[in-house]
Amino acid sequence: MKVVWSPLAEQRALEAVEYIAQDRPRTAAVWLEGLLERVSQLDRFEEQGRVVSEIGIPAYREILHAPYRIIYRVDASRVVILTLRHVRRAWDPAEVDDA
C-alpha cells in the first residue's frame, strides 16, 4: 500500500525537527530517522495503529512517535499521513477533514 504525506503532515514534521535541532541537532536527525522508519511500516501494516479516539472511525488511525501522534487515514489503495500532533496539544478536527 502506498504511503503519502499531506502538506500539513510534512509541515508539522519539519517544524518538529527544526524545534528539536535548535538545541540538539543530532537528536533531531535521529528523531526524524525514527519517524520515517515508523511511517514506512504502514505500507505493509496499515492497521497497526489504534483508531483515533476523537473520531471513532476505523479508517482513521494513529501511531505514536514520542512526543507526537501520527494521525493517518487508510484508503482503498493508500495510507495518507494527515498530521502530526504533539501529545499535549488539544485536538483539532480541522486537521483531518480535507486531507
Side-chain angles (χ1 to χ4, degrees):
M1 184 161 296
K2 183 176 181 176
V3 177
V4 297
W5 289 67
S6 73
L8 177 61
E10 288 178 347
Q11 175 187 343
R12 290 282 168 80
L14 180 60
E15 290 170 357
V17 169
E18 289 174 347
Y19 180 77
I20 296 167
Q22 290 176 4
D23 297 321
R24 301 177 314 274
R26 178 70 187 132
T27 301
V30 169
W31 184 86
L32 178 59
E33 185 177 313
L35 172 68
L36 296 175
E37 174 62 29
R38 191 88 167 96
V39 168
S40 74
Q41 295 173 5
L42 295 173
D43 70 347
R44 296 179 313 275
F45 306 107
E46 66 274 0
E47 293 187 359
Q48 70 175 301
R50 65 183 177 201
V51 174
V52 177
S53 62
E54 294 89 346
I55 301 173
I57 299 171
Y60 290 85
R61 296 183 169 272
E62 68 180 337
I63 53 177
L64 299 178
H65 185 66
Y68 288 84
R69 299 165 68 185
I70 304 164
I71 300 171
Y72 65 97
R73 183 182 67 233
V74 179
D75 292 341
S77 62
R78 65 186 187 155
V79 173
V80 181
I81 308 302
L82 300 171
T83 190
L84 277 68
R85 299 285 303 166
H86 192 284
V87 295
R88 293 187 178 173
R89 289 189 61 195
W91 175 251
D92 182 357
E95 291 185 11
V96 298
D97 285 343
D98 61 350

